[in-house]
Amino acid sequence: MNIVTPQAYAREIAAEAVPGLPADFRWGVATAAYQIEGAAAEDGRTPSIWDTYCRVPGMVVRGENGDAACDHYHRMPEDVRLIADLGVDTYRFSLAWPRIQPGGRGPVNERGLDFYKRLVDELEARGITPWITLYHWDLPQELEDAGGWPARDTAYRFAEYAALAHDALGDRVEHWTTLNEPWCSAMLGYAYGNQAPGRKNFGDAIRAVHHLLLGHGLASRHLRETAATRGDALELGITLNLGTATPETGSHEDAEACRRADGMGRRLYLDPLVKGAYPEDVVADLARQNAELPVQDGDLAVISTPIDVLGVNFYRGTLFSGVTQEGSPVDADGLPVTRGVERDLPRTAMDWEITPTALTDLLVGLEKDYGVPTVVTENGAAFDDSVSADGQIHDAGRTTYLADHIAAVAAARARGADVRGYFAWSLMDNFEWSYGYDKRFGIVRVDYDTQERTLKDSAKWYRDTIRLTRTGTRTGTGDSESDGG
């Protein structure tokens, strides 16, 4: 297969206003606590499942971990200044559960909570809106030892933690996301074992799906009730990692493969969240695999507590086939096949196909099927960029990627999708989970030896594009690649 290289994909792109994005369109950058904070054992923080998983030989590239990460815990004011310099209006970040409520039970840890109070102070002082994610994968290890997300009690523990965090910050922070990518937490963590906690049990993963959604619903109810009682402004949501499923051919087998992929990746989460019921065809598919969602009376009413916004994390669309490489429509166990098909498309350093038009299709489809306003809460690309002889990072591939996907958002709005914002992933290079520090998603480079931050060309382009779009100016001054980081 002739795979197009990132170098062939990259184009020289000048910053200019993006037609179709309104003045109140939200521009942001995003991070996650375990990936950037470091200070893993400071101020009362206890281990999360990722601290434990990183110590398992062979699970993370070079055995790396988030103990130091980007040292954001100590460099937070500097990083907020950097965010402000980018001209974004919103910073999406996650709270570390084991920092705020060590062990996942009991009272709040004031020393840990103080860090986030100071962060909100810094953001407010610079006119940046904080957008909080309550859970970005760092389950306290003690709760995993007690059963983790496959255990129903974890949903109640999450709601308790969410209440502690919101009670402390809800009078100052309006935008709250309960969970980041529950598909990853459930499937990668409990079915496939290639993310924390590293279990491989499909039945456990499906139980985790339900309990993650139940935790979302329980937390959402508390946040709504508290905000109403206190008179706090609240925009409540959840973030899902979503893609598109396109059939390779017009065959029945390929159509079925897409139905199953869409069912497990999109409808299994959005149907109960928005419609108050799990999709019947997916429940039947799960039964064929001897897996069952552990629904109890009243659960779906809790899960479908109304949300104000749906966070969409998008990285790629996928072409699916319903036959094996040998031509069979079933696998060795007699179950229908759902197989991703590789295409002659440019790829990122993660070996992910670059498919910006799929983002347009996804956002338009979400509007049609669910009618919930959306924000692209993550979109970005890892490339093997490096420091050039001039001391700069000329990451034309990433700039092209951002430009194409922001244009895809504008195209979705033109087709009627209520998309209200775009957050680049990520603010800075960071600990990329099982890949350790091997993959760089940041628009800001981090030298992990010195912790020096340097704006990449993509950051300068993003900054200038935001400014020009806000002001309605057609093109920039041409200086986006000349100023230093």
Side-chain angles (χ1 to χ4, degrees), residues 33-167:
Y34 189 74
Q35 293 182 272
I36 68 167
E37 282 183 4
E42 291 187 34
D43 292 338
R45 182 190 181 276
T46 58
S48 74
I49 54 175
W50 272 97
D51 295 278
T52 302
Y53 183 80
C54 290
R55 267 69 182 178
V56 178
M59 302 313 290
V60 177
V61 170
R62 293 183 293 272
E64 293 170 339
N65 57 62
D67 287 3
C70 304
D71 197 32
H72 174 69
Y73 193 76
H74 300 115
R75 298 169 183 264
M76 177 268 292
E78 169 193 347
D79 289 338
V80 173
R81 288 195 296 273
L82 183 64
I83 294 168
D85 289 344
L86 291 172
V88 301
D89 50 64
T90 304
Y91 175 44
R92 175 183 178 243
F93 60 95
S94 74
L95 308 180
W97 188 349
R99 197 180 295 285
I100 288 178
Q101 190 190 36
R105 301 177 188 273
V108 70
N109 171 32
E110 294 292 348
R111 290 178 296 167
L113 186 60
D114 282 347
F115 169 73
Y116 299 107
K117 290 179 177 179
R118 295 193 306 273
L119 172 55
V120 171
D121 288 343
E122 292 284 342
L123 293 169
E124 288 182 339
R126 295 183 177 274
I128 300 167
T129 299
W131 186 295
I132 285 178
T133 300
L134 283 160
Y135 184 73
H136 200 130
W137 304 357
D138 47 1
L139 183 70
Q141 182 60 44
E142 289 88 339
L143 294 185
E144 172 61 21
D145 294 340
W149 285 111
R152 186 178 178 90
D153 184 64
T154 304
Y156 294 96
R157 301 286 70 76
F158 173 71
E160 179 184 76
Y161 149 67
L164 292 174
H166 184 259
D167 289 352

Side-chain angles (χ1 to χ4, degrees), residues 290-327:
N290 299 313
E292 183 179 0
L293 293 153
V295 181
Q296 296 186 16
D297 288 346
D299 284 2
L300 288 165
V302 172
I303 290 170
S304 58
T305 298
I307 57 175
D308 303 305
V309 64
L310 172 65
V312 176
N313 289 359
F314 176 85
Y315 291 97
R316 56 178 166 169
T318 304
L319 187 70
F320 283 102
S321 172
V323 296
T324 64
Q325 298 285 13
E326 293 75 27

Side-chain angles (χ1 to χ4, degrees), residues 197-216:
R199 292 203 229 169
K200 295 182 179 181
N201 184 298
F202 187 71
D204 280 351
I206 297 306
R207 285 185 284 276
V209 168
H210 182 68
H211 295 143
L212 282 155
L213 293 176
L214 179 61
H216 155 82

Side-chain angles (χ1 to χ4, degrees), residues 186-237:
M187 303 309 295
L188 300 183
Y190 291 97
Y192 308 137
N194 53 4
Q195 287 197 5
R199 292 203 229 169
K200 295 182 179 181
N201 184 298
F202 187 71
D204 280 351
I206 297 306
R207 285 185 284 276
V209 168
H210 182 68
H211 295 143
L212 282 155
L213 293 176
L214 179 61
H216 155 82
L218 292 167
S220 296
R221 284 196 166 183
H222 177 87
L223 267 61
R224 287 237 180 264
E225 292 168 0
T226 301
T229 299
R230 298 195 311 197
D232 298 336
L234 175 65
E235 184 178 75
L236 178 66

Side-chain angles (χ1 to χ4, degrees), residues 227-257:
T229 299
R230 298 195 311 197
D232 298 336
L234 175 65
E235 184 178 75
L236 178 66
I238 186 172
T239 284
L240 306 180
N241 55 303
L242 299 169
T244 54
T246 305
E248 183 182 28
T249 72
S251 70
H252 170 74
E253 289 82 6
D254 289 1
E256 274 292 286

Side-chain angles (χ1 to χ4, degrees), residues 1-10 315-319 340-356 380-384 397-398 401 405 439 441:
M1 178 168 287
N2 180 28
I3 301 298
V4 181
T5 65
Q7 291 75 19
Y9 166 69
Y315 291 97
R316 56 178 166 169
T318 304
L319 187 70
V341 179
E342 293 186 342
R343 293 171 283 186
D344 291 330
L345 292 173
R347 294 170 181 254
T348 71
M350 299 290 286
D351 200 30
W352 295 346
E353 294 176 346
I354 300 174
T355 59
F383 287 111
D384 295 327
R398 184 175 292 103
Y401 183 100
H405 286 80
K439 305 297 182 185
F441 275 87

